[in-house]
Amino acid sequence: MAADSSPRNTKRVTITDVARHAGVSTAAVSKVMRHAYGVSPAMQERVRTAMAELGYRPHAAARGMRGRTYTIGVLLDNVRNPFFADVLDGIREQLENSEYTVLIGAAGFGAEDQARTVRAMVDRQMDGLILIAPGTPRSEVLATAAVTPTVVIGHHDGSDAHDSVVDADDLGAGLVVDHLVALGHRDIALVSAAGNKAGRWQRPPETVLADGYLKAMERHGLTGRARVHHAAYSDDGGHTAGIALLSGDDRPTAILTGADVAALGIYRAADELGLSIPDDVSLVGYNNTAIAALAPVRLTSVDQAGHTMGATAARMLIERVEGRRDRAMRTTMTPRLVVRRSTAAPRVR
């Protein structure tokens, strides 16, 4: 078959083309695109059909000059933490029937790398930002929120500048300690992220989690047995922590980790050391991600409703972007403990 040598139309479709195709004015097309009040359902259908038939895509830069780009930036430190996938699913589901597009910045753990990513999002005129437990200095986040609607997920520091979605991490830690003590455990360790003091966040989630753990241990008369081991919330971080905690003669009989992904690393460390979970050590994760429910894992974990956190953050952000609310809000999720087979009564040594 001979190749089609006819010239192809590579010219970008404009709002004028859409108006002509739909048989309406350019003003009518603009109103439909802006979800303006008073546009009839029939007009919306007519214009959107024309846009679909012509393959029209709004020009982001041009929309930005008119005041909105319909893009939402989401900052996270890495894409390997399955909890972030739950949060992103909630954001996506909340926005799926809107004009907004979500763009993800996986910036790494470094504070400066995260700050640079946030600045790039602002420079590209994104309408709003969702920052998941940012390591970016708090002062920079506050400055950003002053000019771009922002929701911070995870950090408990209150602010009039940005909205917040948090989990009651202290209560979550208490649920775990209560559960393990009821099983007979006394030597319970916590593996938690070290946090970033340079960021000047006073109440990041790892700090609130540790506070809740220490208070729960105190409540049960176990203050002298409390151990907090700092490690990154990653498989490698959990593995390193697991080797350190489980290699000695004074190994704990139970470990709480601040993230399921770190718990997987502890699973790996226990296996390398010839230890069995839960026979030799009980293990509890945090986030209750899909991995926790897998048959080979069956990890007891604290559910902090990641999907709901993401959906709530997206809803709150759009309220601010579209001017339906001008005061900062804070929403707190109530954690619940999901018990699986990674926890059991301690073996008598």
Side-chain angles (χ1 to χ4, degrees):
M1 180 183 292
D4 182 3
S5 59
S6 59
R8 297 183 182 275
N9 181 14
T10 59
K11 181 181 177 183
R12 188 183 184 99
V13 178
T14 68
I15 190 172
T16 302
D17 298 325
V18 173
R20 186 180 300 115
H21 191 77
V24 300
S25 67
T26 55
V29 176
S30 179
K31 285 184 177 180
V32 170
M33 291 173 59
R34 289 185 288 108
H35 302 281
Y37 179 78
V39 179
S40 69
M43 177 65 77
Q44 289 190 37
E45 179 66 22
R46 191 171 179 178
V47 170
R48 296 198 179 282
T49 298
M51 291 168 66
E53 291 176 350
L54 294 176
Y56 173 75
R57 290 185 301 109
H59 193 286
R63 294 177 92 175
M65 286 187 288
R66 291 195 297 270
R68 196 175 296 174
T69 61
Y70 292 90
T71 54
I72 300 299
V74 178
L75 176 80
L76 45 83
D77 54 39
N78 74 95
V79 295
R80 296 185 182 277
N81 189 333
F83 174 65
F84 294 158
D86 291 344
V87 175
L88 290 170
D89 277 347
I91 295 171
R92 178 197 57 78
E93 185 173 293
Q94 182 68 30
L95 299 177
E96 66 181 349
N97 293 320
S98 73
E99 293 290 314
Y100 294 93
T101 297
V102 176
L103 300 178
I104 300 169
F109 292 100
E112 181 52 39
D113 289 336
Q114 290 193 24
R116 186 163 50 248
T117 300
V118 171
R119 292 181 207 125
M121 290 176 172
V122 173
D123 289 346
R124 284 159 178 77
Q125 296 181 297
M126 294 188 182
D127 294 327
L129 305 177
I130 297 175
L131 311 181
I132 304 177
T136 308
R138 185 164 188 252
S139 58
E140 183 146 357
V141 170
L142 294 177
T144 298
V147 296
T148 302
T150 300
V151 179
V152 175
I153 294 179
H155 291 317
H156 292 250
D157 297 61
S159 172
D160 292 333
H162 60 74
D163 292 328
S164 302
V165 179
V166 302
D167 179 61
D169 299 296
D170 51 346
L171 296 181
L175 291 175
V176 175
V177 172
D178 290 347
H179 167 66
L180 293 172
V181 169
L183 289 173
H185 291 277
R186 297 296 179 267
D187 295 310
I188 304 167
L190 169 66
V191 173
S192 171
N196 178 10
K197 290 183 172 59
R200 302 288 182 182
W201 295 93
Q202 299 300 312
R203 303 281 288 166
E206 58 270 15
T207 296
V208 178
L209 183 73
D211 286 349
Y213 159 78
L214 292 172
K215 287 177 181 176
M217 293 290 282
E218 180 182 14
R219 187 171 71 248
H220 289 286
L222 300 173
T223 298
R225 300 193 183 196
R227 278 188 275 180
V228 179
H229 186 97
H230 294 303
Y233 286 157
S234 65
D235 180 81
D236 286 342
H239 178 264
T240 300
I243 293 295
L245 287 170
L246 300 176
S247 294
D249 294 334
D250 63 340
R251 69 172 186 261
T253 63
I255 299 175
L256 161 62
T257 66
D260 287 353
V261 66
L264 295 182
I266 293 176
Y267 257 109
R268 185 158 57 93
D271 181 69
E272 291 176 6
L273 294 171
L275 300 175
S276 172
I277 293 173
D279 293 338
D280 295 305
V281 58
S282 284
L283 182 62
V284 182
Y286 211 97
N287 306 144
N288 194 36
T289 57
I291 291 175
L294 293 176
V297 181
R298 301 299 293 165
L299 177 68
T300 296
S301 186
V302 176
D303 191 331
Q304 59 174 329
H307 185 282
T308 303
M309 291 181 86
T312 301
R315 176 181 54 76
M316 293 169 70
L317 184 63
I318 297 308
E319 288 175 355
R320 295 292 290 272
V321 168
E322 297 185 347
R324 286 182 267 143
R325 175 171 54 82
D326 60 5
R327 297 186 65 180
M329 284 184 58
R330 171 179 168 136
T331 299
T332 303
M333 302 292 151
T334 301
R336 66 186 181 91
L337 182 65
V338 180
V339 178
R340 299 189 179 95
R341 70 182 183 203
S342 69
T343 52
R347 175 187 288 176
V348 178
R349 296 179 182 176

